[in-house]
Amino acid sequence: MRYTNRVCKPGERPYELCEALNILSVKIASSDVGFPISVYGTVIARNSIDKKCVYLFRRDRDHCQRINSEDQSLILTGPKRGLALIDDAYVEIDLKIKSQGEQDKELKVTYGVVKDAVEATFAIEVLQGYYYGEITAWTTSIQNTLVLHDSKVAGARAGDGNRAIQLSRPVVAVYVKEKLYVKIAAQTHGKIKHRTVVFIPKVNGEDKREVYVGATLMLVKVTWSIIDF
């Protein structure tokens, strides 16, 4: 969100947009010990901005994720900023299997390349009622859904007295000429209610939407910025 409120001064070079990456999933395609397995360690992305670590997955040995098959993705908790694709981008993987130590693993990283990308940073709150469910996002051309929040993983519901929803993946790169879709699925009284919100990307500023999902009133805020490079 570095350039959210930036205004070009007279004579200053205007902004430029670049390509960016959305990491869609990281899966363990095979392992020497089969499945299920419990994994821990790190998955890190680096790009040409500053070569710093941008964590996509980070768990210690006492907080493993159980993987039941090659179709199950790691629960990603990043990136927390847009990943610019100027030169090369790297994904560094250091995963271990609990009780097995170092074992050979084949991993599959799925990603989408976004041209003329802007950075969308989400903040979602419960204004009235309680929320338990899943929140996902996708764009016009890349329709693989990105999970922003899953209450089953978070282990808690948000509501009165705890309004902010903890997002595991708060940032999505979006082509500036496309649309960004956010789907909120809420579990209420044993039924699933759905609501989809559509945003038109901008190079800066923010957008807010108040929406009812069942009886729950929620605020969805998207803060826009160009991606630094």
Side-chain angles (χ1 to χ4, degrees):
M1 298 188 293
R2 180 176 175 183
Y3 294 101
T4 296
N5 299 311
R6 178 72 181 272
V7 177
C8 289
K9 299 177 182 179
E12 186 178 22
R13 181 174 63 89
Y15 68 85
E16 294 182 24
L17 299 179
C18 65
E19 288 187 328
L21 290 177
N22 279 326
I23 304 297
L24 304 176
S25 66
V26 179
K27 297 180 179 180
I28 299 177
S30 65
S31 79
D32 283 353
V33 296
F35 295 94
I37 55 176
S38 296
V39 299
Y40 64 98
T42 59
V43 179
I44 295 169
R46 299 181 192 268
N47 61 12
S48 55
I49 291 179
D50 52 20
K51 305 297 185 183
K52 290 184 178 179
C53 299
V54 180
Y55 283 97
L56 306 177
F57 178 89
R58 189 180 190 182
R59 289 184 180 232
D60 60 32
R61 195 174 187 278
D62 294 329
H63 299 87
C64 296
Q65 180 183 343
R66 184 177 177 85
I67 303 293
N68 293 308
S69 75
E70 64 273 13
D71 296 324
Q72 184 178 346
S73 176
L74 296 179
I75 299 172
L76 302 182
T77 54
K80 306 296 185 185
R81 73 174 195 200
L83 296 173
L85 185 60
I86 306 301
D87 295 316
D88 293 329
Y90 306 90
V91 176
E92 301 176 7
I93 298 171
D94 181 17
L95 294 176
K96 298 179 177 63
I97 300 174
K98 189 174 183 179
S99 302
Q100 299 291 335
E102 293 289 346
Q103 294 286 337
D104 287 337
K105 301 172 289 293
E106 180 183 348
L107 286 96
K108 178 181 179 181
V109 179
T110 305
Y111 62 91
V113 176
V114 182
K115 67 178 182 179
D116 293 340
V118 293
E119 180 184 278
T121 302
F122 294 94
I124 302 176
E125 295 182 8
V126 176
L127 301 181
Q128 178 182 309
Y130 291 90
Y131 178 77
Y132 187 92
E134 184 180 68
I135 303 172
T136 56
W138 68 94
T139 66
T140 305
S141 61
I142 302 178
Q143 298 189 3
N144 304 66
T145 56
L146 301 173
V147 178
L148 308 182
H149 171 83
D150 186 345
S151 297
K152 290 185 294 184
V153 175
R157 67 175 184 171
D160 298 335
N162 183 26
R163 303 195 333 167
I165 293 179
Q166 185 67 37
L167 301 179
S168 58
R169 303 188 67 183
V171 174
V172 175
V174 189
Y175 176 32
V176 73
K177 294 183 179 180
E178 291 189 338
K179 294 179 181 179
L180 172 64
Y181 299 85
V182 180
K183 182 178 181 180
I184 303 173
Q187 182 175 326
T188 57
H189 305 295
K191 297 182 179 180
I192 304 296
K193 301 290 186 179
H194 300 273
R195 184 70 183 270
T196 300
V197 187
V198 183
F199 292 93
I200 305 299
K202 300 187 295 188
V203 296
N204 59 12
E206 66 179 30
D207 288 314
K208 296 180 180 180
R209 302 280 194 280
E210 289 188 8
V211 295
Y212 274 100
V213 187
T216 303
L217 177 61
M218 304 179 70
L219 172 66
V220 182
K221 183 174 77 171
V222 179
T223 303
W224 303 99
S225 174
I226 65 172
I227 297 176
D228 187 15
F229 68 96

